[in-house]
Amino acid sequence: MGTMAAENHKTKALNLLRSRLCDPKFIFQPLIDSPHTNFSKLKFMISSSVTEACNNSILLQGPRGSGKTEVLDLVIHDLFLEFPDSISLIRLNGLLHCDDISAFKEIARQVCTEHQLLFSKAASSDDNSQFMVAMLKECGLAHKTVIFILDEFDLFAQGKQRLLYNLLDAMQSVTSQAVVIGISCRLDADQLLEKRVRSRFSQRKLIFQPPSKEDAQRLLAHVLTLPIDSSFPHEYAVEFNNKVQKILEDIEICNKYLRADSSVKHLLRFLFCAISDMDLQTGFLSWKNLDNAFSCVKRAPKQECIRNCSILELYILVCMRRLEVKEQSLCNFNSVMKEYKSIQDSFHQSSDNYARNVCLRAFEHLIDRELICFTDNRAQSLTVEYRPVKLLLSPAELHVGLKAYDPRLCPPILLKLMD
């Protein structure tokens, strides 16, 4: 019986840690308890709009994995508990609904589903637009706030921006009652708005950042510490927590894991791999578990693709990175070639000066391998040289990929250009 009980509490510890990692409310509990966090600010903004029957628009900005969507979902969950009959929610994603026709149709579909109305697939874009305006008016008269969540907000800011204009313009009405929440990883998302749209946007912004090393270590301790109560044998819980504390106190080792990617999403994935590898014979988390998890999450297909690139392809990638540093994130083949020529002229690298048609083939090869991509599929009528492209590699991925390249083949200048 003693052996079975020991196995039970070790399995119970494993299941507890896994359940914590799958529960956003537990992960972000420290944020929820503090009055000065983005959670508290966002909840105050939306709840004020609901209680005071006023319109609002908010932009959540920050890099991917910094917790924008998770925090918003927790706020929405709390608001539905506080105002169960006063909130209606509509979610759109720029990857799916960035064109006006599909956006208006999706809004109509979600409204019809919520209010058990008949949805017409044959309705025109104008019909759906008028339906949205009428819906906002009816909800306003019923003292119900409609919350629009626009994920990948910057994609809605492309083209004529008809959806944003119609939505924000309808919110100028006295009878409407709505909140528009945009989510974007672009810090210049609001600058993409047309003047007529920007004038109707309230310019409220919340910036999300990946946790600092200190915050990340606190998050690790918050997730990995077992409760000292009757749930587990006292000696086991104390020893488990002591071992976790020793791991977290080793700053050099912790930095190794946090340096790779300290975003919340990456940390949770890393922890889930480490905990799943925990030995149930001992029932404790070890360095070996962390190393195995690090190897698992560190696998980067893009970096492996870099190792198989030609020298010319590496030059093109580095040139695109340099254009990003110069705040020219959108570029085309011609601008990359200008940067490449300036590098050759500056460093007198005549031996690496390739013909233009060879460079174009290398450029197309990078597109095929999805290391770079076209930014706008609507520009298909343009030739490859003029179509705008963007780099699909982070600076860290490119730097690590160059360092892992065969040093006998990779020109030292490439790493210098990345500094």
Side-chain angles (χ1 to χ4, degrees):
M1 286 293 289
T3 305
M4 285 187 66
E7 289 179 355
N8 285 341
H9 72 249
K10 291 171 184 176
T11 304
K12 185 179 177 182
L14 175 65
N15 292 335
L16 173 67
L17 297 179
R18 279 177 169 172
S19 65
R20 285 177 175 179
L21 292 170
C22 298
D23 182 6
K25 193 162 188 177
F26 181 86
I27 295 297
F28 292 98
Q29 189 65 44
L31 299 180
I32 295 172
D33 294 338
S34 173
H36 304 295
T37 60
N38 282 339
F39 172 88
S40 302
K41 294 174 184 175
L42 183 59
K43 185 175 179 181
F44 174 76
M45 289 180 190
I46 303 177
S47 60
S48 297
S49 299
V50 175
T51 55
E52 297 173 13
C54 61
N55 296 316
N56 206 345
S57 48
I58 310 160
L59 192 54
L60 311 183
Q61 296 173 292
R64 298 193 187 281
S66 55
K68 302 183 295 295
T69 304
E70 288 83 355
V71 169
L72 174 59
D73 286 344
L74 290 174
V75 169
I76 296 296
H77 179 266
D78 280 6
L79 292 175
F80 267 119
L81 294 177
E82 289 183 37
F83 312 104
D85 301 318
S86 303
I87 292 177
S88 178
L89 186 65
I90 293 176
R91 290 180 180 267
L92 299 177
N93 190 303
L95 295 171
L96 300 173
H97 316 114
C98 63
D99 66 285
D100 302 327
I101 296 174
S102 61
F104 285 125
K105 181 177 287 188
E106 180 60 17
I107 291 173
R109 187 194 67 79
Q110 290 188 33
V111 170
C112 290
T113 300
E114 180 178 351
H115 297 282
Q116 298 179 340
L117 302 173
L118 183 63
F119 171 64
S120 172
K121 293 182 179 179
S124 68
S125 180
D126 287 337
D127 291 338
N128 287 328
S129 175
Q130 291 170 12
F131 177 72
M132 180 190 75
V133 174
M135 176 268 299
L136 285 175
K137 183 178 179 180
E138 289 297 322
C139 287
L141 293 172
H143 303 291
K144 192 166 190 174
T145 300
V146 183
I147 300 177
F148 292 87
I149 297 177
L150 308 182
D151 208 349
E152 305 291 347
F153 179 82
D154 50 286
L155 297 180
F156 289 98
Q158 296 179 356
K160 296 180 180 179
Q161 303 182 16
R162 185 181 166 211
L163 168 70
L164 293 177
Y165 175 75
N166 285 16
L167 181 55
L168 294 172
D169 189 59
M171 289 167 58
Q172 306 301 309
S173 169
V174 178
T175 55
S176 69
Q177 196 172 326
V179 178
V180 174
I181 303 172
I183 306 174
S184 177
C185 60
R186 289 189 59 166
L187 295 179
D188 64 341
D190 56 323
Q191 300 303 313
L192 302 173
L193 299 177
E194 296 175 357
K195 186 177 179 180
R196 61 174 186 161
V197 177
R198 193 182 300 127
S199 65
R200 289 165 170 77
F201 195 82
S202 62
Q203 304 300 320
R204 290 181 173 87
K205 289 190 250 182
L206 289 178
I207 306 298
F208 288 73
Q209 296 179 338
S212 63
K213 289 181 180 178
E214 293 76 17
D215 290 337
Q217 285 180 313
R218 280 195 288 270
L219 175 60
L220 295 179
H222 176 62
V223 172
L224 296 176
T225 302
L226 292 182
I228 307 295
D229 56 21
S230 57
S231 302
F232 299 95
H234 182 77
E235 296 79 7
Y236 171 73
V238 169
E239 188 176 355
F240 187 98
N241 293 341
N242 287 339
K243 288 182 180 294
V244 168
Q245 190 62 32
K246 285 182 181 179
I247 292 175
L248 298 180
E249 284 175 355
D250 194 327
I251 297 175
E252 187 175 335
I253 299 296
C254 274
N255 284 347
K256 171 187 173 184
Y257 304 121
L258 299 179
R259 197 181 298 120
D261 185 350
S262 62
S263 67
V264 176
K265 188 179 294 184
H266 180 273
L267 282 174
L268 298 183
R269 192 175 69 212
F270 165 68
L271 280 181
F272 197 91
C273 291
I275 291 168
S276 298
D277 192 50
M278 193 172 80
D279 184 6
L280 287 179
Q281 294 293 325
T282 63
F284 297 111
L285 201 64
S286 66
W287 286 116
K288 185 179 178 183
N289 302 141
L290 297 179
D291 277 330
N292 291 343
F294 187 65
S295 301
C296 180
V297 300
K298 192 182 175 184
R299 286 193 61 200
K302 288 181 181 177
Q303 291 178 15
E304 292 173 10
C305 285
I306 292 175
R307 295 193 194 103
N308 295 323
C309 284
S310 66
I311 300 300
L312 174 57
E313 289 166 355
L314 294 182
Y315 268 112
I316 292 174
L317 293 174
V318 170
C319 286
M320 291 187 66
R321 171 58 193 154
R322 283 168 62 86
L323 291 174
E324 278 187 354
V325 172
K326 296 175 182 178
E327 297 187 354
Q328 191 177 336
S329 57
L330 293 181
C331 57
N332 57 28
F333 175 75
N334 290 330
S335 59
V336 172
M337 285 299 97
K338 285 181 183 177
E339 183 67 22
Y340 175 61
K341 189 175 186 309
S342 69
I343 290 173
Q344 302 304 312
D345 293 342
S346 301
F347 294 91
H348 309 290
Q349 299 285 317
S350 58
S351 60
D352 291 332
N353 206 350
Y354 297 89
R356 183 180 173 86
N357 63 329
V358 176
C359 294
L360 183 57
R361 284 202 299 273
F363 187 79
E364 292 173 334
H365 191 215
L366 291 173
I367 293 172
D368 291 339
R369 303 180 88 174
E370 297 184 354
L371 293 175
I372 62 178
C373 75
F374 295 118
T375 59
D376 191 351
N377 289 327
R378 289 174 290 186
Q380 292 180 4
S381 58
L382 297 175
T383 58
V384 174
E385 295 98 316
Y386 296 98
R387 289 184 68 180
V389 292
K390 66 179 178 180
L391 191 61
L392 296 178
L393 291 164
S394 69
E397 286 174 326
L398 182 54
H399 193 269
V400 171
L402 289 173
K403 288 184 73 174
Y405 203 85
D406 190 339
R408 295 169 297 178
L409 302 175
C410 184
I413 185 180
L414 286 172
L415 281 171
K416 288 182 181 178
L417 292 169
M418 285 292 295
D419 295 333

